[in-house]
Amino acid sequence: MNHAPSPLRILLAEDDASIRSIAELSLTRVGGHHVTAVTDGAEALASLKDRTFDLILLDVMMPGIDGFETCRRIKGNPATATVPVVFLTARAQAHEMQQGLSLGAVGYIIKPFDPMNLPTQINEVLARCRDGKEAA
């Protein structure tokens, strides 16, 4: 594939400052995407009120509103229900992954992730999503 994908508007919700920074740098510098980074589910939901995104990356373990509940609320809101949600998390047990997918997420990227490969992983999840296949 020779063409570069269009820059995505990505909402990244991650409470760990170092991981948030690495992911944001990866997505902007390596992937060429536009990233809005927030620290928890409440901030993610607030960001969705006045902006639109092409993709939402959620950590599962966040203070306050965790990633699962944030996903449930995103998918339950008609204004945001169609935005793809991908979990970026260390919580990779099968039942946790199934829970996220059952809430409407289209995929999982497991931490620790390779910052040089994160944009490619996102593109692969979105391609599977567009092809109508559930990503895991």
Side-chain angles (χ1 to χ4, degrees):
M1 183 188 309
N2 283 334
H3 73 286
S6 300
L8 299 172
R9 293 166 309 202
I10 299 172
L11 176 59
L12 167 65
E14 167 62 62
D15 63 312
D16 183 293
S18 58
I19 294 172
R20 188 174 56 251
S21 178
I22 290 167
E24 188 172 6
L25 283 171
S26 169
L27 295 168
T28 57
R29 301 243 175 112
V30 178
H33 301 301
H34 307 286
V35 177
T36 299
V38 299
T39 61
D40 59 35
E43 284 186 51
L45 294 169
S47 295
L48 289 164
K49 289 182 180 175
D50 59 2
R51 287 173 266 179
T52 59
F53 295 94
D54 301 308
L55 175 71
I56 301 167
L57 280 176
L58 293 177
D59 185 14
V60 170
M61 296 179 294
M62 296 185 288
I65 305 171
D66 71 9
F68 289 141
E69 178 61 17
T70 302
C71 182
R72 188 188 66 72
R73 293 184 189 186
I74 290 166
K75 293 302 177 180
N77 179 346
T80 57
T82 61
V83 180
V85 173
V86 174
F87 283 105
L88 179 65
T89 183
R91 302 295 295 261
Q93 293 185 5
H95 73 276
E96 293 167 321
M97 294 175 72
Q98 185 55 46
Q99 180 179 358
L101 294 172
S102 72
L103 290 169
V106 296
Y108 267 79
I109 296 173
I110 306 304
K111 295 183 212 172
F113 58 88
D114 176 355
M116 297 307 292
N117 195 36
L118 181 60
T120 300
Q121 288 179 281
I122 286 170
N123 290 335
E124 289 170 354
V125 169
L126 290 175
R128 287 192 301 263
C129 181
R130 280 191 296 269
D131 291 343
K133 298 175 188 164
E134 196 170 80

